[in-house]
Each structure stands twice: as structure tokens, then as C-alpha cells.
Amino acid sequence: MEWEYKVFTVDHFLSSQKNLSIEESLNKYGKEGWELVGILQNSYKTLGKPSKIDSDLIVFKKSEYNS
């Protein structure tokens, strides 16, 4: 099975649907076939290397067949 991913900064996700609550926004993406799979926090530290994460991210995935 192949997956398609969608990544937002948390700030963008929260501000993109100003008229919806967080729960309503998550339900909206769920109805479109997207599943919340994780949140990547900016505070993640790597061993001696700069982080590739500039801000907190929210990650969704859906099956390529749900497109």
C-alpha cells in the first residue's frame, strides 16, 4: 500500500480554518480520508546536527486509493 502525506505547521493548521474548532478541523480532514499520524515538535534535538524542524508540525496520511 502506498501513502500520501500532508504536513502543516501547527500554527498554519490552527489558523487555516478560523471558523472551525480544532476538533472540527480534524474531523474535516478525516472525512477527506486523512488520518492524523503524528506531531513533530521543534524541541527535538539531534546529535550534533542542526534540526530540520523549524516549527512544530502536524502530519496526516491517507491511502493513495482514497484520493
Side-chain angles (χ1 to χ4, degrees):
M1 182 174 287
E2 292 188 29
W3 300 102
E4 180 179 352
Y5 293 89
K6 185 177 289 249
V7 179
F8 297 99
T9 64
V10 172
D11 290 339
H12 177 77
F13 179 78
L14 295 176
S15 66
S16 65
Q17 304 288 328
K18 292 183 182 182
N19 57 333
L20 299 179
S21 70
I22 295 170
E23 184 175 332
E24 290 169 329
S25 293
L26 291 170
N27 285 327
K28 175 183 170 277
Y29 282 100
K31 287 177 184 173
E32 295 173 5
W34 294 100
E35 176 184 1
L36 175 65
V37 293
I39 296 175
L40 301 171
Q41 293 183 301
N42 186 25
S43 61
Y44 176 74
K45 303 293 182 207
T46 58
L47 298 173
K49 297 181 181 178
S51 175
K52 294 182 179 182
I53 300 172
D54 294 332
S55 61
D56 294 342
L57 302 173
I58 194 166
V59 181
F60 292 88
K61 76 173 184 180
K62 74 175 176 177
S63 168
E64 193 175 75
Y65 302 106
N66 284 341
S67 297

